[in-house]
Amino acid sequence: MCVAAEWYIDSVSGGRIVEHSRDVPVRAPVLVLGCSPTFMGAPNGYFHNRMDTASELWKNGKATVFIVSGDNSSHAYNEPEWMKQALVERGVPEERIVCDFAGLRTLDSVVRMKEIFGVSAMIIVSQEFHNERALAIAAHEGMDAWAVSAPDVPNRRSRMKSWFRERAARVWMMLDLWVWSREPRFLGEPVVLPEIKEEK
């Protein structure tokens, strides 16, 4: 199953990940995948690198609107609001940011882009290992998705833990998509994204 997951992800994500926002070949809604701004009381490099990368998409004219999707399973834990605040601090207009509070897992975040927000083409922002899996889910859903990879963290121990965790997540993704046909935990009514007027 692990080998099958790696093959599938490589086959559908190849050529769709770029390192710099200026190299994205489309202008589209941006899905920013969530995490916490802090980890064990210290700044979380994964979070801040994602926010920097996402804001560069805005500065380079590649983003029409941002959907910040993450976990809001308790009043004290709110990834979408933290991401929204971070993007506003980096110059993204608040009215171009929509919070998705039901992005409990990557599958939920990607599928909800299609089913709730009506998006068929998008740009995903996360670290490369995460982008690959998100693109695989998007391909399974018939979406036209690209991704920009935020820089990884310099801490070798954190990278190793992420690598092993990602291997398990990829196997779980295959089971979700091909065995259980699992849907997001929460769907709900469609959400209309802000009207995007082309700048002259």
Side-chain angles (χ1 to χ4, degrees):
M1 183 66 77
C2 186
V3 171
E6 294 297 324
W7 175 85
Y8 175 69
I9 288 174
D10 287 346
S11 66
V12 298
S13 66
R16 288 192 165 262
I17 300 177
V18 301
E19 292 185 4
H20 303 290
S21 60
R22 62 179 178 272
D23 296 329
V24 179
V26 296
R27 184 171 184 263
V30 176
L31 169 63
V32 188
L33 295 171
C35 62
S36 172
T38 60
F39 180 70
M40 298 183 66
N44 184 349
Y46 288 112
F47 176 92
H48 297 287
N49 289 347
R50 287 183 202 181
M51 299 307 108
D52 289 343
T53 299
S55 64
E56 285 299 317
L57 281 165
W58 175 255
K59 294 171 185 175
N60 284 300
K62 299 294 185 176
T64 56
V65 64
F66 292 85
I67 295 85
V68 289
S69 181
D71 188 353
N72 178 214
S73 54
S74 73
H75 291 296
Y77 193 86
N78 196 329
E79 290 177 352
E81 282 293 344
W82 292 329
M83 289 191 287
K84 179 179 180 180
Q85 180 181 349
L87 289 178
V88 170
E89 290 172 354
R90 287 163 171 79
V92 177
E94 186 173 357
E95 64 271 15
R96 293 288 184 99
I97 306 172
V98 176
C99 290
D100 175 16
F101 297 104
L104 302 179
R105 299 187 306 151
T106 305
L107 182 143
D108 297 54
S109 296
V110 172
V111 175
R112 282 175 57 82
M113 286 290 285
K114 176 183 177 181
E115 299 295 335
I116 300 300
F117 298 102
V119 171
S120 59
M122 64 178 170
I123 304 166
I124 302 169
V125 174
S126 188
Q127 275 68 31
E128 184 173 10
F129 64 86
H130 196 188
N131 279 337
E132 291 173 342
R133 177 159 47 93
L135 285 171
I137 298 170
H140 180 269
E141 295 298 312
M143 303 176 74
D144 181 19
W146 294 81
V148 184
S149 291
D152 211 332
V153 298
N155 186 296
R156 184 174 181 272
R157 183 178 180 183
S158 293
R159 293 201 309 272
M160 289 293 292
K161 288 176 64 178
S162 295
W163 189 90
F164 284 107
R165 185 168 59 244
E166 181 62 22
R167 304 285 76 71
R170 292 180 177 206
V171 171
W172 202 260
M173 179 206 74
M174 294 293 286
L175 294 171
D176 280 341
L177 297 180
W178 302 105
V179 178
W180 299 319
S181 299
R182 184 165 288 167
E183 295 184 350
R185 182 175 179 183
F186 301 106
L187 282 173
E189 297 298 320
V191 174
V192 178
L193 295 176
E195 181 182 0
I196 305 303
K197 297 179 179 179
E198 295 293 333
E199 293 82 357
K200 296 182 180 179

